Amino acid sequence: MNYSAVILAAGKGVRMRSQMPKVLHQVAGKPMVWYVIQAVKEAGINDITLVVGHGRELVEEALADENLNFVVQEQQLGTGHALMQAQGSVNPGHTLLVLAGDTPLLEGKTLKKLLDFHQQQQAQATVLSALLPNPYGYGRIIRQADGGLERIVEEKDADPEEKEIAEINTGMYCFQAGTVFTALSQVQRANAQGEYYLTDVLPILKNDGHKVAVLATDEVDHIHGINDRVQMASAEAIIRQRSNQKLMKNGVTIIAPETTFIDSSVKIGIDTVIYPFTIIEGQTSIGENCTIGPYTHINDSSVGNDVVIESSRIKEARISNHCNIGPFAYLRPEADLQENVKVGDFVEIKKSIIGAGSKIPHLSYVGDALLGKEVNIGAGTITCNYDGKKKSRTILEDHVFIGSNTNLVAPVTIGENSMTGAGSTITRDIPADTLAVERAEQKHVRWKR
Ligand code: UD1
Ligand code: CA
């Protein structure tokens, strides 16, 4: 059996009250339609057509790496009309999954069950339904006396009795492609919204003598359609909870999952402990046996094993094994810490390599610098890397000791084993094995108060 999928994603999403197309709104770090695409791929389907319209350039650009076929729905005349636009890109002999782009909680296993049931029933169409305690807003499943599907009624078209029905249409369907495209041409737009409803194709198929089945899923947390930002926040919480649980099952301790926000793209090794109020985002990997947080925000960084990071901001940085960071450190892009580095409180590091065993314990700015092994930077030291026009480099060779409150005016190089006196402003290179002191001699004047 050959399978294809069509994802409807042309709508504006009026209820989002946004300039941006609904399906691009991010949930846990990814556009909501991205999750739908992953679920389809997990179910083993790679022939995927996306129906785009509102903000289509943005949608196509955001999903350029997903290997999709795009078809355009110029005017958004309803879900039935949207599916019609995909006719040319789907093989009529295929079994076709039809999904909406606004269900980010969807997982592949739910789709597999739908496909299996459809096959087993030998149906021409199968609708996935769910029983919801609060069915408001969804289309309701109207069943016949014998339990078979009669039709689906939208919230806006339902009478008070129909609104009482708790069984809803998830908006996920399986069809025999050729059959559904033929039947779609008969769908009318005589309803409250004046749209071509995809749901209306089901009674048409039945009247034409085709088998229409309903599968009621018990995975009710997986099917929610997101129409506004309140529902989006609920979906975000569920996805966050899922990725925290996955990490915990894989050996990561998360002390307070409800305060911990970790993107699903983040990788973390076993026996690492995440303290409360920590956010880890993007392409970040963290090794084994680390302690991260509390109050730490990391994005797009790599962290080795046995690293401690407390109350710090880490952005596009690299931290090797056995480093100790914070509290209150700020590592900016291209900060590259080799093994056993110590970075303490109120230290900012940008675009600098810090050699193994070096220490920058307090109150420093280090930018555009190269530090060798076991360099020690005294409290309050800064690299003066910017003269208002250009950035220049500071080089500190192995075992250099910088006295407290030194200004290193770049470009400047300090040779191996050399030292600066506290409070010096260093403007010239210092050779190896040298102590450089630059400050006025201390004067004593007789004085009485
Ligand atoms: C739809 C279903 C409803 C179901 C619900 C499940 C219909 C008529 N109603 O309602 O029975 O309970 O989903 O979440 O199908 N879209 C287009 N082009 C259009 C209109 C919509 O591509 O012209 C896309 C949207 O971008 C969206 C999806 O189709 O991704 C669903 O549209 P939406 O307006 O959210 O439908 P609902 O009102 O939620
Ligand atoms: Ca919807």
Side-chain angles (χ1 to χ4, degrees):
M1 190 53 68
N2 289 310
Y3 294 97
S4 299
V6 172
I7 301 172
L8 310 179
K12 181 173 191 317
V14 180
R15 291 163 279 187
M16 294 297 287
R17 293 180 176 268
S18 174
Q19 308 270 27
M20 189 166 66
K22 173 166 76 175
V23 296
L24 288 190
H25 278 264
Q26 297 217 340
V27 179
K30 295 283 185 188
M32 46 177 124
V33 64
W34 181 87
Y35 292 94
V36 180
I37 296 164
Q38 302 319 304
V40 171
K41 289 181 179 172
E42 265 173 58
I45 301 178
N46 293 305
D47 177 31
I48 305 173
T49 298
L50 208 72
V51 181
V52 294
H54 186 81
R56 57 184 254 229
E57 294 84 6
L58 295 174
V59 177
E60 289 182 26
E61 191 192 317
L63 302 172
D65 297 339
E66 295 294 329
N67 194 21
L68 309 170
N69 315 310
F70 293 100
V71 299
V72 181
Q73 183 192 26
E74 294 288 355
Q75 261 187 303
Q76 283 78 58
L77 301 179
T79 47
H81 180 256
L83 179 57
M84 255 184 255
Q85 313 310 308
Q87 183 161 14
S89 85
V90 177
N91 182 323
H94 280 197
T95 297
L96 178 64
L97 262 185
V98 176
L99 308 169
D102 65 351
T103 57
L105 298 170
L106 185 58
E107 289 188 349
K109 61 181 180 193
T110 304
L111 296 179
K112 271 196 200 129
K113 285 185 195 162
L114 173 61
L115 293 170
D116 289 349
F117 185 80
H118 177 79
Q119 219 60 66
Q120 180 199 325
Q121 294 287 307
Q122 301 198 329
Q124 298 294 308
T126 305
V127 191
L128 190 72
S129 76
L131 283 166
L132 294 188
N134 175 13
Y136 177 81
Y138 288 96
R140 307 297 206 284
I141 303 282
I142 313 284
R143 291 194 183 247
Q144 301 164 334
D146 67 0
L149 179 91
E150 182 187 311
R151 63 196 164 90
I152 294 174
V153 63
E154 292 305 297
E155 176 81 37
K156 288 185 175 139
D157 300 297
D159 64 30
E161 208 174 305
E162 289 165 338
K163 284 183 183 163
E164 294 295 311
I165 296 171
E167 187 178 11
I168 62 100
N169 169 27
T170 63
M172 303 173 193
Y173 319 82
C174 191
F175 294 109
Q176 292 318 110
T179 319
V180 72
F181 284 118
T182 306
L184 270 175
S185 60
Q186 296 179 52
V187 170
Q188 307 290 316
R189 54 200 289 197
N191 51 53
Q193 306 185 79
E195 290 184 354
Y196 296 98
Y197 289 166
L198 174 55
T199 45
D200 287 349
V201 86
L202 301 166
I204 291 170
L205 287 169
K206 277 190 59 184
N207 281 342
D208 290 351
H210 296 297
K211 179 162 182 185
V212 176
V214 183
L215 172 64
T217 179
D218 44 19
E219 279 145 352
V220 290
D221 258 359
H222 294 62
I223 53 82
H224 294 290
I226 306 306
N227 296 325
D228 61 34
R229 296 185 200 234
V230 176
Q231 294 170 335
M232 197 163 81
S234 315
E236 171 105 15
I238 293 172
I239 291 179
R240 296 278 181 208
Q241 191 182 25
R242 276 187 205 160
S243 60
N244 283 345
Q245 283 175 356
K246 193 167 157 199
L247 287 167
M248 290 187 273
K249 286 190 173 135
N250 286 332
V252 177
T253 296
I254 301 179
I255 300 211
E258 64 285 5
T259 71
T260 305
F261 303 86
I262 304 176
D263 283 356
S264 51
S265 48
V266 171
K267 295 195 168 52
I268 306 182
I270 60 166
D271 293 326
T272 285
V273 179
I274 314 287
Y275 278 81
F277 303 103
T278 291
I279 302 168
I280 309 176
E281 300 175 303
Q283 296 308 313
T284 295
S285 70
I286 294 177
E288 298 179 359
N289 215 30
C290 296
T291 303
I292 311 289
Y295 306 104
T296 291
H297 183 182
I298 304 176
N299 72 282
D300 302 293
S301 297
S302 97
V303 177
N305 301 322
D306 305 292
V307 170
V308 176
I309 305 177
E310 185 188 344
S311 302
S312 292
R313 176 74 176 102
I314 315 291
K315 190 175 176 179
E316 296 165 46
R318 228 197 86 168
I319 301 171
S320 305
N321 299 339
H322 302 286
C323 286
N324 196 316
I325 317 292
F328 316 118
Y330 181 19
L331 301 191
R332 292 171 50 201
E334 295 181 60
D336 181 346
L337 278 45
Q338 297 180 352
E339 299 211 347
N340 280 305
V341 164
K342 154 95 187 149
V343 174
D345 51 279
F346 305 105
V347 171
E348 172 181 343
I349 300 179
K350 184 217 79 173
K351 202 174 184 180
S352 295
I353 296 173
I354 312 298
S358 291
K359 294 186 170 67
I360 313 173
H362 344 260
L363 303 162
S364 285
Y365 169 63
V366 175
D368 303 300
L370 172 59
L371 274 63
K373 286 199 281 278
E374 299 188 20
V375 169
N376 195 311
I377 307 261
T381 294
I382 63 164
T383 53
C384 310
N385 61 328
Y386 186 50
D387 61 7
K389 290 197 184 79
K390 61 177 193 312
K391 303 270 169 73
S392 300
R393 303 250 292 157
T394 301
I395 297 172
L396 308 181
E397 294 180 353
D398 295 350
H399 306 288
V400 158
F401 186 102
I402 302 294
S404 294
N405 224 25
T406 298
N407 300 313
L408 299 164
V409 181
V412 70
T413 298
I414 302 187
E416 262 188 323
N417 299 314
S418 284
M419 199 164 173
T420 66
S424 297
T425 293
I426 303 297
T427 53
R428 284 188 290 131
D429 290 353
I430 304 173
D433 304 306
T434 305
L435 168 64
V437 185
E438 185 281 338
R439 60 188 188 219
E441 204 178 316
Q442 182 169 328
K443 286 180 194 155
H444 287 191
V445 177
R446 272 192 74 79
W447 187 257
K448 221 170 187 165
R449 271 157 48 101

